[in-house]
Amino acid sequence: VNVNDLINNIGFGRFHYQLIFLCGLGYIADSMWGEAITLIITPVQNEWNVDTAYLGWLAATLFSGMCIGSFVWGRTSDVVGRKFPFTLTLTIGGITGMICAFMGTYNWLLVMLFCLGFGV
C-alpha cells in the first residue's frame, strides 16, 4: 500500500480548507507579537519614564519566552500531538496579551511579556 495513493483517495475537502484557514489565523496571531513589541516601546517609555537603556528588555523578555516556549511546546507536540499544544498556546497568547494591556508597572509588564512569549 502506497501512502501517496491513500492520501489521494481521501481527497482534499472543505474540512481541510477550514483547517488551513484556522491554523493560518493562529500563525498570524502568533507572528503579530514579534511586530507589536516594536509598537509599544515608545508608549511605554513615555508613560512610565523608562530609561532608554531598559527599553530593550521589552523585546528581550518576549523573545526569551519564545525561546523557552519553543522547546516546551515542540516537545509537548511530539508527545501528545499537535492539536492540544496549538490550542493551549493560542489561549496563553490571547489571555496574556490582553493582560499586558492592563499592567500597571514596567516590571510586571516584563513578566507578562515573558509569559506571552512562552505561549507564542
Side-chain angles (χ1 to χ4, degrees), residues 45-56:
Q45 184 178 25
N46 294 339
E47 183 70 26
W48 291 324
N49 298 319
V50 176
D51 187 19
T52 307
Y54 296 106
L55 291 176

Side-chain angles (χ1 to χ4, degrees), residues 32-91:
M32 166 190 79
W33 293 112
E35 300 297 326
I37 192 68
T38 62
L39 299 174
I40 69 166
I41 290 175
T42 302
V44 165
Q45 184 178 25
N46 294 339
E47 183 70 26
W48 291 324
N49 298 319
V50 176
D51 187 19
T52 307
Y54 296 106
L55 291 176
W57 283 102
L58 293 168
T61 56
L62 177 71
F63 293 129
S64 296
M66 285 181 180
C67 182
I68 293 171
S70 68
F71 289 111
V72 171
W73 297 119
R75 179 68 178 150
T76 304
S77 295
D78 290 341
V79 172
V80 300
R82 306 273 185 243
K83 183 178 179 181
F84 175 71
F86 184 68
T87 305
L88 191 57
T89 57
L90 289 177
T91 303

Side-chain angles (χ1 to χ4, degrees), residues 69-119:
S70 68
F71 289 111
V72 171
W73 297 119
R75 179 68 178 150
T76 304
S77 295
D78 290 341
V79 172
V80 300
R82 306 273 185 243
K83 183 178 179 181
F84 175 71
F86 184 68
T87 305
L88 191 57
T89 57
L90 289 177
T91 303
I92 291 171
I95 291 172
T96 56
M98 286 187 285
I99 292 173
C100 282
F102 298 102
M103 288 295 97
T105 65
Y106 178 75
N107 291 332
W108 277 110
L109 179 61
L110 291 178
V111 169
M112 290 312 300
L113 284 173
F114 179 83
C115 295
L116 173 62
F118 182 77

